[in-house]
Amino acid sequence: MMNKKIRQAVLIATTLLICVFSGSSFSKEQTVKPALTMELSVKAALAAISQCESDGFKVSVAIVDHAGLLKVQLKADGAGPHTLDSSRRKAYTANSMRGPTQRYAELVVNSPDLHSLAHMNEHILLLGGGFPIRMGGEIVGGVGVGGAPGIKFDEVCAREALKVLQADELFE
């Protein structure tokens, strides 16, 4: 008889705890993290390619997610094969280092003691044309453009991708 009352008390207490804790999680406001979707990434990459094509350049564009993994990569017709690697590495670098790749390229030139930044791993490329993608105050990925004759042209095209993504920062 006593064991039955103890089991009922434990069951009631457990049920109450489940109700209390599950209810508290539902009552809190759920924060929605910004998402770098595949569909939006493709649109952004196409916008960057289109901008470069209208400027007369054949480039590749890469967009990586928050972990630095390739989300989408496009190569314009006629773009050199090396542009695939450079665009991916620029996107990875901008995401990983949380800033424009040109900033780090200049930093290494101006501070030789930081030269090892360029050799942290085989994915890093300290060459302009890459920007982090910040949405809702968080860095959710990176975009990189490679193939235009000069980093300023790569950056113009990468900014077009940021506009389509409605990124917090357009680096203008």
Side-chain angles (χ1 to χ4, degrees), residues 34-154:
L36 185 59
T37 66
M38 188 232 8
E39 181 180 357
L40 192 55
S41 297
V42 169
K43 287 179 183 177
L46 283 170
I49 293 252
S50 179
Q51 176 64 51
C52 270
E53 282 181 344
S54 71
D55 292 339
F57 310 126
K58 298 174 186 314
V59 300
S60 288
V61 178
I63 296 179
V64 299
D65 65 13
H66 69 284
L69 300 174
L70 193 59
K71 188 83 176 167
V72 67
Q73 186 170 37
L74 299 175
K75 178 181 165 290
D77 295 337
H82 67 285
T83 63
L84 287 167
D85 192 43
S86 65
S87 65
R88 180 187 52 77
R89 290 176 64 197
K90 289 177 185 183
Y92 173 89
T93 302
N95 174 66
S96 178
M97 298 180 83
R98 308 291 200 233
T101 53
Q102 181 60 22
R103 178 187 307 156
Y104 295 104
E106 292 171 4
L107 185 63
V108 167
V109 168
N110 295 328
S111 301
D113 56 318
L114 297 176
H115 185 71
S116 61
L117 282 177
H119 306 289
M120 284 194 299
N121 67 39
E122 69 275 5
H123 303 292
I124 298 290
L125 181 59
L126 301 183
L127 185 62
F131 296 114
I133 301 167
R134 184 181 307 273
M135 299 169 78
E138 290 183 48
I139 293 180
V140 298
V143 58
V145 175
I151 56 124
K152 297 291 184 205
F153 300 116
D154 285 338

Side-chain angles (χ1 to χ4, degrees), residues 1-15:
M1 179 79 108
M2 190 59 123
N3 281 341
K4 188 175 182 181
K5 286 185 180 182
I6 292 173
R7 279 188 291 205
Q8 284 179 338
V10 168
L11 181 62
I12 291 171
T14 303
T15 304

